[in-house]
Amino acid sequence: MSWFLVMIPVLMLIGSILMYRFIGRGEVFRFDIVQFFYAFILTPIAFVWSKVLLFLLLKNNLVQNLSDLNYLLIDNGFSVVFLYIFGFEMVHSLTKTVSLNVSRDPLYDVFGYLEYFHLWLTHLIIFGGGMLIMTILSLVNLFFPLELQLSQFLFYSFVGSGLISGGLIFVSLWLSDPKQEKGFQFMRIMKILIGLLFIIQVGGFFLKEPGLTANYLMFWWSALNFTSLVTCAFLSYRSVRVKSWLARLVDRFKHPGFDFRIQL
């Protein structure tokens, strides 16, 4: 473990210095390659390294007999502060990339560049990542049941809310579907992802056969979310009435910028 604590920051420093020479020479996901390296490679490594260091400091050296609750509070507080810093680093990486592009071409289409992130990449990651995290938590709950005691009313109310939240998620997806010049359509990708994650959860159900109890609260809530999502996706494709309702919904609530055609 000692080599990890010493070598990681040294290698990060060397890597950041060596990478800086490539600034402005390429892009990854429309980020300047150096800014992408700093934000998406170095920063996650720094996060893991600092969390390990915090754990060792609290558990082995500085604090004796630290309760699990106190450690959880300190660890979560540290993580929140780090995430705030990471958020500002992302803003810097984005604006730095814009600055580099404008310096090369004063007529660079900044609006089109930002709409790529606004209407495409961020929505793809936020919605896709959110559903992926929901599935992971669901599968973890499937293999490691919760120790909860809930009344039947509370249990069925919470689990049943998954049908409503799934529908709301689908409406949010539909309202976030921008026009594109080429490539996979946003909703097509989302529907494929919904189908795959739903199949995974169905497979988990047949593998473990969980009981309809509070011990598997997260699994059942997630399963009903995806059941609702799959149902909405199917109806949006097959039902003329649902298509008409969604079209009216889009006309009323859709962001005006979604008519901008994104260049992928």
Side-chain angles (χ1 to χ4, degrees):
M1 184 62 69
S2 58
W3 69 267
F4 173 83
L5 293 175
V6 174
M7 291 303 299
I8 291 299
V10 173
L11 292 175
M12 288 174 57
L13 179 61
I14 295 174
S16 63
I17 295 174
L18 293 177
M19 275 298 297
Y20 197 78
R21 60 187 294 191
F22 297 102
I23 192 167
R25 297 189 182 183
E27 292 185 345
V28 179
F29 294 121
R30 304 286 288 272
F31 281 95
D32 175 71
I33 188 171
V34 175
Q35 302 305 316
F36 179 87
F37 178 76
Y38 289 166
F40 293 98
I41 297 178
L42 284 188
T43 302
I45 293 175
F47 180 66
V48 174
W49 177 83
S50 59
K51 293 269 285 186
V52 171
L53 179 61
L54 178 68
F55 172 79
L56 294 176
L57 289 174
L58 293 178
K59 284 295 185 181
N60 298 336
N61 298 313
L62 298 182
V63 182
Q64 299 295 328
N65 300 321
L66 184 68
S67 68
D68 291 338
L69 177 60
N70 288 335
Y71 173 74
L72 185 65
L73 292 174
I74 295 172
D75 181 70
N76 286 338
F78 176 84
S79 299
V80 169
V81 172
F82 195 101
L83 289 174
Y84 275 121
I85 297 172
F86 177 66
F88 281 97
E89 182 181 356
M90 289 299 300
V91 173
H92 171 77
S93 297
L94 182 61
T95 54
K96 178 64 175 180
T97 303
V98 171
S99 176
L100 290 170
N101 288 328
V102 172
S103 66
R104 288 193 296 265
D105 179 11
L107 299 179
Y108 182 77
D109 185 7
V110 176
F111 175 77
Y113 174 81
L114 294 179
E115 287 300 83
Y116 163 81
F117 289 99
H118 172 214
L119 302 179
W120 173 254
L121 187 62
T122 55
H123 284 161
L124 202 65
I125 299 301
I126 290 171
F127 285 113
M131 289 189 290
L132 182 61
I133 289 175
M134 186 189 301
T135 302
I136 291 173
L137 292 176
S138 170
L139 295 178
V140 170
N141 182 210
L142 196 60
F143 288 90
F144 302 97
L146 295 167
E147 295 183 2
L148 287 178
Q149 296 294 330
L150 295 177
S151 66
Q152 285 192 341
F153 174 77
L154 286 176
F155 172 70
Y156 287 113
S157 296
F158 180 80
V159 170
S161 69
L163 293 173
I164 300 174
S165 61
L168 293 176
I169 292 171
F170 186 82
V171 170
S172 298
L173 287 170
W174 198 271
L175 292 174
S176 301
D177 185 21
K179 295 180 180 179
Q180 298 162 214
E181 290 291 349
K182 61 181 180 179
F184 280 113
Q185 298 295 317
F186 174 81
M187 280 305 300
R188 184 178 301 172
I189 295 175
M190 288 294 101
K191 287 180 179 180
I192 291 173
L193 182 61
I194 289 169
L196 289 175
L197 295 179
F198 178 72
I199 291 172
I200 290 173
Q201 299 217 30
V202 171
F205 170 79
F206 285 109
L207 179 65
K208 297 296 291 184
E209 297 183 353
L212 193 60
T213 64
N215 302 103
Y216 300 99
L217 184 70
M218 185 61 199
F219 171 79
W220 287 114
W221 183 77
S222 177
L224 287 186
N225 265 281
F226 279 97
T227 300
S228 179
L229 282 166
V230 168
T231 302
C232 291
F234 177 78
L235 292 176
S236 70
Y237 176 72
R238 300 292 298 180
S239 173
V240 175
R241 181 175 297 180
V242 171
K243 287 182 180 180
S244 175
W245 180 80
L246 288 172
R248 292 197 301 270
L249 190 70
V250 166
D251 289 338
R252 183 169 182 178
F253 294 107
K254 194 173 186 180
H255 189 283
F258 288 173
D259 289 330
F260 174 82
R261 291 191 176 274
I262 300 173
Q263 298 283 348
L264 297 182

